[in-house]
Amino acid sequence: QKAQGLVADPAPEEVAPEAIPDLTREPLLFPAPRAHRLQGLARADSGGVLALGYSAMRGHGNAHPTVNELRLAEAELRVPHPRGTVFSAGRVKVSQAEVAAKEGGTRIRLGFAATLGWNEVKVIAAATLDLNAPGAAKGTPTEEEFFLYHTEPVEASGFCIHFKLPHYVTFQSALDAMRDANARKTQPPADPLLRCENTLGGSGGRSAPGAPHAPAHPAKETTE
């Protein structure tokens, strides 16, 4: 397919291990480098990735994928020693998937995902999200900012579980504001003239009940 010019994705570039960004030590910025996107999907919550990937397959994405490759294997974990030597720390189970979809009827786009453990459904769903991320509409499940934030297990579970903490202070404040608003609705409307008198601190130009009305201008004394 690549030899025939049918694959739209460019050939992967060789990246030195020390040049690979570390999502656990660097902030996630958008648009995210693809290395950050793939790291985020590898660490993502499996249930969240499945839900969003499934929504893309059911019509909310830009393409319906075909699984091109699905692998379950064991990878050797090599760790550099402070003295400069590299040694094997053991082997871990890994899963990876590559999916493909037509783009415009003449080209093929690829999506990829890998994660620790043997988890076929997660890598297929994650590769579908990677496939649909370029050009995804804002706020859709396949937008990378949406699925990377909402499948981050530590952030999501921490935010949900924090509601167990007591929020009675802010809730009591909201209740007081609601009671005050309801009380204002039930009060009869105030007399605008009385409001004016209270504001001016006097009668506001009106005579008290039963008091003689004073002339507007005092009478002038005349002498004959």
Side-chain angles (χ1 to χ4, degrees), residues 152-197:
E152 166 55 49
V154 177
E155 171 69 19
S157 61
F159 190 84
C160 272
I161 207 68
H162 100 280
F163 286 104
K164 292 174 58 178
L165 299 175
H167 289 80
Y168 51 83
V169 175
T170 54
F171 188 67
Q172 183 63 43
S173 176
L175 290 178
D176 291 341
M178 293 169 61
R179 294 189 184 105
D180 183 65
N182 290 331
R184 291 177 181 273
K185 291 180 181 180
T186 57
Q187 290 179 352
D191 185 359
L193 294 179
L194 181 59
R195 188 185 302 116
C196 181
E197 291 178 5

